[in-house]
Amino acid sequence: MQYKYLKKNHPFCTLIVSIILFAISGIAEGATPKTGSKSQHVHILKLYDENNVQIDPTAENPKPYSAINTCGQCHDYEKIQHGWHFNAAGDAVDKGRPGEPWIMTDDRVGVQLPLSYRGWKGTFNPKDLKVTQWEMIRNFGRHMPGGGIGEKYAEPSEDSKWKAAGNLRIDCLTCHTADRSFDHEAWGQMIKLNNMRWAPTAAAGLGKITGAGTSLPKDADIKEGEEPEIDPARMPKVEYDLRKFDKENKVFFDVVRKPPNNRCFACHTVNEGGVQEQPKWHSDQDVHIRAGFSCVDCHTNGIEHHTVRGFKGEVHPKAPLQAASLSCAGCHLGDESEQPELQDMAGRLGAPKPVHGGIPPFHFDKLSCTVCHSGPMPKDKVGTVQTSMAHALGEVSKTKTTEDMPNIASPVYLKTGDGQVEPHRVMWPAYWGLEKDGKITAIHPDQAYRELRRVFRKRRSSSSDDKEEPAYDGYTPEQITTALETLKKEFKDAGEPVYIAGGKLYKLVGDKDEEGKETMKLDVVENHPASEPYTWAFGHNVRPARQALGVNGCTDCHSKDAPFFYATSASLGPALNDPKTVTAPLLKKNHEWQGWDASLLGMWEQSFEGHKPFKFFAWSVFAILVLVGLRYALRGLGAVLSMSCCKGSKCSANSE
Amino acid sequence: MLNNLIIADGSSFSVSIYAGLGLAVGIIVIHFIVRGVSGLKRERSGRKLGMIEKLVYLGVLGCIGALGVSAFLPILTHGHMTGYYMLLHTVFAGAFLLMFTLYVLLWSEDHVFTCEQGGGNEGEKGSPFRRGSKICFWIMLLAGILAIGSMLVNMLPYLSTSQQAIMIDLHRYTSLCVVLTGIIHAYMVLIGKRSAH
């Protein structure tokens, strides 16, 4: 009967079966293969090039391997590429709390510009500055994991050589390799050489790259999926290390799900400088790291790679509760928000609940956890920091100093939007700009250099060929004046040239000399809105409880000259920073950053000077009060008990 | 939990301030009206208060007023104490501690309940205070000890944040009690001891 039915409805059944089979095959194709085990899967992989063709390392002129196509055989690249590390230039991305910007530094013309696509207040959008994505990748790709503006949002521009260099696609190994031979420096070198598509191969140490994209003509085009149209002899080449390939041309990748700290540090190293500088062996690192944590234990993510940043009030696109439970308070207290579920999530990863004995609770409304527990202990002067992203740490250099631009001050304690004080890093932007109708537009550093190279150049007399080179050692007011005059001639009606540095705006104003002749003089405006510093909060390194601010009592902060309130930060910039000239940096104490009334602070400090005697007095007087109270309480009790005899003229209980 | 506790309590304490002040004023007004209707007249009895006693009492009332204003005003307007209000509060807290102790030492004997009031006798000269005053006095003493003690304990480095939050709550409500009983007590003292004539 059934057979007959099937026979009769043969076309219909065929259709149904086909649909089911198609659906199953579709699911199988789209799904990510999984082992289901907590044990790490051993990744012995075939390598694929950017055209998704398996690489034969012995072939003549083999192509560089593509991390996307190799890893993408199993992992969903489409999902991954929208993660926090890749999505800065995306349109529909929550910008989150201001973070460290990319700082475009050009010491030839005294420029340090905080750039970000995220629209953080105080940063410059590279698009507005006409800084192309190609430039961004050339400048900062060294500390990017690929993807984002290197690929998805990469736009062609006049200066770009995307076609020859290839896009800088996400290199999964940048984070997910446990192989200590992974060479992040090689990644950066490839980018400098315009060898973007060769960068993953070089960094992974799979082969030796010779040749440079920089030597290719500007219009050279290596279209993806097609053979190069340019002379192969001029192309960068990869010579694979055959020892790394097995007989099936497979390679073992020491891939790990949880990136090791070493990989995070490649881009997120911070070194203290200035008064905070100390030898590396004096540093204890973050207390969590010392306890055996990995960065990614807290800064974790799923396949979408929306990495938890871990600050209070973070809006996580995928798992808001999970993210909230990984902030300091979320993990240690569980009381960060009104969400009752957080209470049950407290104590993750064995986080102890702090007692904070004797610290008045309102401190926890006014201060973030990081004020007392993060960064170096504050000193009377605010120190500086050097970061991987800003100072290209990780690149070997014999000339690097802790004074190198850009100048970033840290730790500065200032209030965030929600009124809580947090430790911040601060940088004062420095750039040449044009002021028109009250609005200041920054000039691209390269353009400024073209116009000002003659102003700032210095003859190098020791050089045999008498070569000229621009020299930067801090600009004098005279140099700034000359530079502004030069720009004024060049830009004419485009606006009044200005120079912004160290929290000051320099511009030329009309004046008369001794003979009454019209002339221009340098005018300096302090604290101009355009010269406001860019600040961003930080959370690491975390110090343990016994190293926290306040461990010695209230006077750690509430005393005269306590660094928390009185440490001074200087608005250091590329100008001379000479106290004798108008380039003198602006000095600002922490309490000024926080907006506290100095006289109120002074009164508090005075009150804390007498804190111990007051406590002694208060406890003594309180003891008297309690004794008096007890005396009458006992007397009253006695009276109540002897109420029965209180019928005559006297009560027995009161007879004394 | 801590934030919830403090924030929730901040708003509920504001309600308590309004309710408490309303209650105290209500009691005074009702008492005043009843007293007028029933034709009670002033009667001077018991010993006269000395100058020092009066000054100490004025000092206590002044401190209670300053503490109340420096605490309640910022709480009612901003939800919490901060800045100069906090400083003022701590300065007057020290003065209150001293004045309150003197006040208790000087005034407590006169506030012992008499046999008619349900307690012991009032001695040869007798108490110048009525029963209502005495009830207020002893409540004020108890609340004052709790208010002062809760803050002194908080100044020791032993209590955790949540325990301190409980102490702060205790301080708030007992202090409110001190203020309210202080107001009623002052009213009672002002109208003096009266009886039906």
Side-chain angles (χ1 to χ4, degrees), chain B residues 103 111 113 128-140 181 184-193:
Chain B
Y103 165 64
H111 284 82
F113 290 99
F129 302 110
R130 59 170 56 236
R131 184 164 47 191
S133 302
K134 293 178 179 180
I135 292 170
C136 284
F137 177 86
W138 293 113
I139 292 174
M140 197 155 67
T181 49
I184 298 170
H185 186 265
Y187 164 74
M188 298 275 184
V189 170
L190 200 70
I191 62 169
K193 193 174 180 181

Side-chain angles (χ1 to χ4, degrees), chain A residues 335 359 597 599 621 632 635, chain B residues 1 84 101 109 115 161 164:
Chain A
D335 63 357
I359 301 175
D597 183 344
S599 54
V621 171
Y632 283 100
R635 201 166 136 186
Chain B
M1 182 185 163
Y84 281 100
T101 307
E109 194 57 38
C115 286
T161 309
Q164 285 187 72

Side-chain angles (χ1 to χ4, degrees), chain A residues 312 333-338 343 353-362 364-366 596-597 599-600 603-604 607 611 614-615 617-619 621-622 624-626 628-633 635 639-640 643 646 648-651 654, chain B residues 1-4 6-7 80-84 86-87 90 93-94 97-98 100-101 104-105 108-109 112-113 115 118-122 138 141 144-146 148-150 152-165 168:
Chain A
K312 184 184 173 188
L333 298 169
D335 63 357
E336 192 180 3
S337 73
E338 292 80 22
Q343 283 297 328
K353 186 171 184 176
V355 176
H356 289 137
I359 301 175
F362 69 85
F364 307 112
D365 286 337
K366 303 272 185 199
W596 284 110
D597 183 344
S599 54
L600 178 65
M603 283 189 260
W604 271 117
S607 77
H611 214 226
F614 175 76
K615 275 186 186 175
F617 157 77
W619 276 105
V621 171
F622 181 67
I624 295 171
L625 264 182
V626 172
V628 172
L630 270 175
R631 176 175 179 259
Y632 283 100
R635 201 166 136 186
V640 170
M643 194 69 86
C646 192
S649 58
K650 281 194 171 185
C651 292
N654 219 21
Chain B
M1 182 185 163
L2 172 66
N3 283 347
N4 293 343
I6 290 172
I7 292 163
H80 61 274
M81 281 172 72
T82 186
Y84 281 100
M86 179 82 94
L87 187 71
T90 52
L97 199 58
L98 182 65
F100 190 64
T101 307
V104 168
L105 288 171
S108 53
E109 194 57 38
V112 174
F113 290 99
C115 286
N121 72 355
E122 49 185 278
W138 293 113
L141 175 60
I145 287 173
L146 289 173
I148 294 164
S150 55
L152 288 181
V153 169
N154 254 12
M155 288 164 80
L156 299 174
Y158 302 122
L159 299 189
S160 69
T161 309
S162 51
Q163 288 164 338
Q164 285 187 72
I168 289 169

Side-chain angles (χ1 to χ4, degrees), chain A residues 319-342:
Chain A
L321 204 61
Q322 190 77 5
S325 75
L326 286 169
S327 69
C328 309
C331 218
H332 287 274
L333 298 169
D335 63 357
E336 192 180 3
S337 73
E338 292 80 22
Q339 295 161 295
E341 299 94 321
L342 275 178

